[in-house]
mmCIF file of all heavy atoms in Angstrom:
data_model
loop_
_atom_site.group_PDB
_atom_site.id
_atom_site.type_symbol
_atom_site.label_atom_id
_atom_site.label_comp_id
_atom_site.label_asym_id
_atom_site.label_seq_id
_atom_site.Cartn_x
_atom_site.Cartn_y
_atom_site.Cartn_z
ATOM 1 N N ALA I 410 -66.097 2.239 -6.655
ATOM 2 C CA ALA I 410 -65.267 1.082 -6.670
ATOM 3 C C ALA I 410 -63.976 1.467 -7.343
ATOM 4 O O ALA I 410 -63.683 2.598 -7.632
ATOM 5 C CB ALA I 410 -65.952 -0.054 -7.445
ATOM 6 N N GLU I 412 -62.455 -0.131 -10.262
ATOM 7 C CA GLU I 412 -62.537 -0.081 -11.715
ATOM 8 C C GLU I 412 -63.701 0.770 -12.187
ATOM 9 O O GLU I 412 -64.738 0.734 -11.513
ATOM 10 C CB GLU I 412 -62.600 -1.509 -12.256
ATOM 11 C CG GLU I 412 -61.293 -2.223 -12.147
ATOM 12 C CD GLU I 412 -61.393 -3.653 -12.702
ATOM 13 O OE1 GLU I 412 -62.454 -4.059 -13.231
ATOM 14 O OE2 GLU I 412 -60.363 -4.354 -12.637
ATOM 15 N N ASP I 463 -66.403 1.016 -0.634
ATOM 16 C CA ASP I 463 -66.442 -0.445 -0.739
ATOM 17 C C ASP I 463 -65.744 -1.048 0.434
ATOM 18 O O ASP I 463 -64.909 -0.433 1.048
ATOM 19 C CB ASP I 463 -65.762 -0.743 -2.090
ATOM 20 C CG ASP I 463 -66.016 -2.180 -2.563
ATOM 21 O OD1 ASP I 463 -65.414 -3.116 -2.104
ATOM 22 O OD2 ASP I 463 -66.987 -2.310 -3.387
ATOM 23 N N TYR I 468 -58.797 -0.942 -2.114
ATOM 24 C CA TYR I 468 -59.185 -0.014 -3.217
ATOM 25 C C TYR I 468 -58.682 1.403 -2.833
ATOM 26 O O TYR I 468 -58.786 1.819 -1.701
ATOM 27 C CB TYR I 468 -60.610 0.002 -3.251
ATOM 28 C CG TYR I 468 -61.293 -1.171 -4.053
ATOM 29 C CD1 TYR I 468 -60.511 -2.198 -4.612
ATOM 30 C CD2 TYR I 468 -62.699 -1.200 -4.242
ATOM 31 C CE1 TYR I 468 -61.086 -3.182 -5.380
ATOM 32 C CE2 TYR I 468 -63.333 -2.236 -5.026
ATOM 33 C CZ TYR I 468 -62.469 -3.247 -5.527
ATOM 34 O OH TYR I 468 -63.063 -4.270 -6.243
ATOM 35 N N HIS I 491 -69.989 -4.880 -1.965
ATOM 36 C CA HIS I 491 -69.953 -4.545 -3.369
ATOM 37 C C HIS I 491 -71.215 -4.935 -4.099
ATOM 38 O O HIS I 491 -71.822 -4.145 -4.849
ATOM 39 C CB HIS I 491 -68.719 -5.237 -3.974
ATOM 40 C CG HIS I 491 -68.517 -4.911 -5.413
ATOM 41 N ND1 HIS I 491 -67.651 -3.900 -5.858
ATOM 42 C CD2 HIS I 491 -68.977 -5.440 -6.539
ATOM 43 C CE1 HIS I 491 -67.568 -3.804 -7.088
ATOM 44 N NE2 HIS I 491 -68.390 -4.759 -7.639
ATOM 45 N N HIS I 492 -71.709 -6.173 -3.885
ATOM 46 C CA HIS I 492 -72.858 -6.664 -4.640
ATOM 47 C C HIS I 492 -74.129 -6.097 -4.097
ATOM 48 O O HIS I 492 -75.111 -5.948 -4.807
ATOM 49 C CB HIS I 492 -72.808 -8.205 -4.755
ATOM 50 C CG HIS I 492 -71.530 -8.681 -5.421
ATOM 51 N ND1 HIS I 492 -70.432 -8.993 -4.617
ATOM 52 C CD2 HIS I 492 -71.260 -8.745 -6.693
ATOM 53 C CE1 HIS I 492 -69.449 -9.346 -5.469
ATOM 54 N NE2 HIS I 492 -69.873 -9.157 -6.708
ATOM 55 N N HIS I 495 -74.405 -3.036 -5.915
ATOM 56 C CA HIS I 495 -74.947 -3.197 -7.286
ATOM 57 C C HIS I 495 -76.451 -3.215 -7.295
ATOM 58 O O HIS I 495 -77.115 -2.557 -8.101
ATOM 59 C CB HIS I 495 -74.375 -4.523 -7.837
ATOM 60 C CG HIS I 495 -73.109 -4.318 -8.608
ATOM 61 N ND1 HIS I 495 -72.925 -3.444 -9.603
ATOM 62 C CD2 HIS I 495 -71.942 -5.063 -8.535
ATOM 63 C CE1 HIS I 495 -71.666 -3.568 -10.140
ATOM 64 N NE2 HIS I 495 -71.051 -4.568 -9.481
ATOM 65 N N SER I 513 -76.801 -10.289 -8.821
ATOM 66 C CA SER I 513 -75.621 -9.463 -8.891
ATOM 67 C C SER I 513 -74.492 -10.291 -9.505
ATOM 68 O O SER I 513 -73.851 -11.054 -8.701
ATOM 69 C CB SER I 513 -75.328 -8.772 -7.563
ATOM 70 O OG SER I 513 -74.263 -7.897 -7.764
ATOM 71 N N LEU I 514 -74.251 -10.157 -10.741
ATOM 72 C CA LEU I 514 -73.246 -11.009 -11.412
ATOM 73 C C LEU I 514 -72.144 -10.100 -11.991
ATOM 74 O O LEU I 514 -72.340 -9.262 -12.804
ATOM 75 C CB LEU I 514 -73.930 -11.822 -12.526
ATOM 76 C CG LEU I 514 -75.147 -12.634 -12.150
ATOM 77 C CD1 LEU I 514 -75.702 -13.303 -13.370
ATOM 78 C CD2 LEU I 514 -74.919 -13.613 -11.073
ATOM 79 N N ASP I 515 -70.886 -10.401 -11.473
ATOM 80 C CA ASP I 515 -69.791 -9.609 -12.081
ATOM 81 C C ASP I 515 -68.468 -10.416 -11.956
ATOM 82 O O ASP I 515 -68.520 -11.654 -11.707
ATOM 83 C CB ASP I 515 -69.724 -8.258 -11.410
ATOM 84 C CG ASP I 515 -69.399 -8.316 -9.974
ATOM 85 O OD1 ASP I 515 -69.155 -9.414 -9.397
ATOM 86 O OD2 ASP I 515 -69.297 -7.236 -9.317
ATOM 87 N N GLY I 516 -67.304 -9.745 -12.101
ATOM 88 C CA GLY I 516 -66.102 -10.382 -12.123
ATOM 89 C C GLY I 516 -65.582 -10.541 -10.700
ATOM 90 O O GLY I 516 -65.174 -11.641 -10.287
ATOM 91 N N THR I 517 -65.531 -9.453 -9.978
ATOM 92 C CA THR I 517 -64.872 -9.353 -8.711
ATOM 93 C C THR I 517 -65.502 -8.436 -7.748
ATOM 94 O O THR I 517 -65.870 -7.311 -8.083
ATOM 95 C CB THR I 517 -63.412 -8.881 -8.904
ATOM 96 O OG1 THR I 517 -62.695 -9.699 -9.767
ATOM 97 C CG2 THR I 517 -62.674 -8.794 -7.611
ATOM 98 N N GLY I 518 -65.697 -8.927 -6.471
ATOM 99 C CA GLY I 518 -66.170 -8.009 -5.435
ATOM 100 C C GLY I 518 -65.831 -8.537 -4.132
ATOM 101 O O GLY I 518 -65.927 -9.828 -3.909
ATOM 102 N N TRP I 526 -66.443 -12.548 -4.282
ATOM 103 C CA TRP I 526 -67.789 -12.835 -4.692
ATOM 104 C C TRP I 526 -67.998 -12.374 -6.153
ATOM 105 O O TRP I 526 -67.184 -11.548 -6.626
ATOM 106 C CB TRP I 526 -68.780 -12.053 -3.774
ATOM 107 C CG TRP I 526 -68.889 -12.581 -2.354
ATOM 108 C CD1 TRP I 526 -67.967 -13.405 -1.733
ATOM 109 C CD2 TRP I 526 -69.864 -12.217 -1.394
ATOM 110 N NE1 TRP I 526 -68.367 -13.641 -0.402
ATOM 111 C CE2 TRP I 526 -69.572 -12.914 -0.217
ATOM 112 C CE3 TRP I 526 -71.027 -11.439 -1.425
ATOM 113 C CZ2 TRP I 526 -70.314 -12.847 0.890
ATOM 114 C CZ3 TRP I 526 -71.821 -11.392 -0.269
ATOM 115 C CH2 TRP I 526 -71.505 -12.053 0.855
ATOM 116 N N GLY I 527 -69.096 -12.840 -6.743
ATOM 117 C CA GLY I 527 -69.372 -12.347 -8.107
ATOM 118 C C GLY I 527 -70.510 -13.112 -8.794
ATOM 119 O O GLY I 527 -70.895 -12.710 -9.844
ATOM 120 N N SER I 715 -78.041 -6.655 -11.872
ATOM 121 C CA SER I 715 -77.083 -5.689 -11.931
ATOM 122 C C SER I 715 -75.631 -6.448 -11.937
ATOM 123 O O SER I 715 -75.578 -7.640 -11.708
ATOM 124 C CB SER I 715 -77.158 -4.757 -10.657
ATOM 125 O OG SER I 715 -76.225 -3.693 -10.815
ATOM 126 N N GLY I 716 -74.651 -5.656 -12.180
ATOM 127 C CA GLY I 716 -73.240 -6.206 -12.239
ATOM 128 C C GLY I 716 -72.773 -6.239 -13.701
ATOM 129 O O GLY I 716 -73.558 -6.331 -14.633
ATOM 130 N N GLY I 717 -71.537 -6.222 -13.881
ATOM 131 C CA GLY I 717 -70.884 -6.064 -15.211
ATOM 132 C C GLY I 717 -71.306 -7.178 -16.193
ATOM 133 O O GLY I 717 -71.373 -6.919 -17.414
ATOM 134 N N VAL I 718 -71.639 -8.367 -15.666
ATOM 135 C CA VAL I 718 -72.016 -9.456 -16.539
ATOM 136 C C VAL I 718 -73.267 -9.049 -17.382
ATOM 137 O O VAL I 718 -73.410 -9.555 -18.512
ATOM 138 C CB VAL I 718 -72.275 -10.727 -15.759
ATOM 139 C CG1 VAL I 718 -72.961 -11.791 -16.574
ATOM 140 C CG2 VAL I 718 -70.967 -11.266 -15.224
ATOM 141 N N PRO I 747 -74.690 -0.846 -15.492
ATOM 142 C CA PRO I 747 -74.745 -1.987 -14.616
ATOM 143 C C PRO I 747 -73.413 -2.410 -14.035
ATOM 144 O O PRO I 747 -73.351 -3.054 -12.985
ATOM 145 C CB PRO I 747 -75.288 -3.179 -15.514
ATOM 146 C CG PRO I 747 -74.901 -2.781 -16.873
ATOM 147 C CD PRO I 747 -74.879 -1.250 -16.918
ATOM 148 N N ASN I 748 -72.347 -1.991 -14.667
ATOM 149 C CA ASN I 748 -70.994 -2.359 -14.207
ATOM 150 C C ASN I 748 -70.583 -1.491 -13.007
ATOM 151 O O ASN I 748 -71.444 -0.777 -12.369
ATOM 152 C CB ASN I 748 -69.978 -2.224 -15.336
ATOM 153 C CG ASN I 748 -69.910 -0.783 -15.841
ATOM 154 O OD1 ASN I 748 -70.005 0.189 -15.120
ATOM 155 N ND2 ASN I 748 -69.788 -0.650 -17.186
ATOM 156 N N ASP I 749 -69.330 -1.538 -12.699
ATOM 157 C CA ASP I 749 -68.893 -0.836 -11.392
ATOM 158 C C ASP I 749 -69.071 0.720 -11.466
ATOM 159 O O ASP I 749 -68.902 1.406 -10.494
ATOM 160 C CB ASP I 749 -67.492 -1.222 -11.000
ATOM 161 C CG ASP I 749 -67.437 -2.605 -10.417
ATOM 162 O OD1 ASP I 749 -68.503 -3.238 -10.398
ATOM 163 O OD2 ASP I 749 -66.315 -3.048 -9.955
ATOM 164 N N GLY I 750 -69.345 1.286 -12.692
ATOM 165 C CA GLY I 750 -69.621 2.674 -12.774
ATOM 166 C C GLY I 750 -70.963 3.043 -12.041
ATOM 167 O O GLY I 750 -71.160 4.214 -11.682
ATOM 168 N N ILE I 752 -71.717 1.574 -8.939
ATOM 169 C CA ILE I 752 -71.490 1.228 -7.507
ATOM 170 C C ILE I 752 -71.714 2.443 -6.603
ATOM 171 O O ILE I 752 -72.308 2.333 -5.548
ATOM 172 C CB ILE I 752 -70.083 0.640 -7.332
ATOM 173 C CG1 ILE I 752 -70.109 -0.803 -7.930
ATOM 174 C CG2 ILE I 752 -69.705 0.717 -5.870
ATOM 175 C CD1 ILE I 752 -70.863 -1.838 -7.072
HETATM 176 FE FE1 FE C 3 -68.897 -5.206 -9.688
#
Side-chain angles (χ1 to χ4, degrees):
E412 285 180 4
D463 197 275
Y468 279 2
H491 187 92
H492 301 93
H495 270 307
S513 186
L514 308 179
D515 65 2
T517 302
W526 291 15
S715 189
V718 168
N748 60 39
D749 285 4
I752 286 288

